[in-house]
Amino acid sequence: MPDIPWSTPTPAAPGAEVHVMASRFETATLTGAVRFFLKSPGIVRQMRRAPGAHGVALRARVLSRTFLTLSAWEDRDALYRFARSEPHRSSARAAAAYMKESVFTQWTVPASELPLGWDEAERRLAEQQADR
């Protein structure tokens, strides 16, 4: 399945620190993966319009039932405001019914490091999962 590549809704101020969040979702069934995948473009569009969003990308592996997200935000509050807004809030609650596993990790980077790559996100997600 094609990925949704990194996009920059609002560039971060030069010299700023940005808040980064990466997530890994694994659905219990292929049907759940298809549902998750079909909702993904709408959530990515929402992220691109969200106040304080500096970057967003999605890696979709539908047949493996695995999805990775990577986003950069002005600060943690901007991320949390997005997470509590619609349609993300309702979609996240609905996805819980078909989710097998979810892993999240957050860190900060200088704005000069944007756009972010998948290697660092996957490394941090693996560490977070191992620490459970």
Side-chain angles (χ1 to χ4, degrees):
M1 283 288 155
D3 295 342
I4 297 176
W6 184 268
S7 64
T8 305
T10 305
E17 283 282 309
V18 296
H19 189 80
V20 177
M21 198 272 306
S23 61
R24 180 183 179 280
F25 301 100
E26 183 180 348
T27 63
T29 65
L30 187 55
T31 300
V34 171
R35 287 181 183 156
F36 190 97
F37 181 72
L38 291 175
K39 292 281 187 180
S40 296
I43 302 302
V44 169
R45 276 191 303 276
Q46 178 191 3
M47 291 175 83
R48 288 178 178 158
R49 292 189 304 263
H54 295 313
V56 57
L58 171 75
R59 179 167 276 179
R61 300 296 180 255
V62 176
L63 296 179
S64 299
R65 304 183 337 269
T66 304
F67 301 84
L68 300 170
T69 70
L70 183 58
S71 59
W73 300 88
E74 180 178 81
D75 54 29
R76 184 177 293 179
D77 290 340
L79 167 61
Y80 291 160
R81 279 192 304 275
F82 159 76
R84 291 188 306 263
S85 65
E86 295 297 339
H88 181 271
R89 181 179 176 175
S90 296
S91 293
R93 286 185 175 164
Y98 50 83
M99 205 56 61
K100 178 178 178 182
E101 181 178 60
S102 302
V103 179
F104 303 89
T105 189
Q106 299 180 30
W107 70 99
T108 59
V109 299
S112 62
E113 291 187 17
L114 299 179
L116 297 169
W118 286 109
D119 290 344
E120 180 69 6
E122 290 185 80
R123 182 187 69 75
R124 287 177 180 264
L125 285 164
E127 285 177 2
Q128 184 71 23
Q129 190 167 12
D131 289 345
R132 287 180 171 192

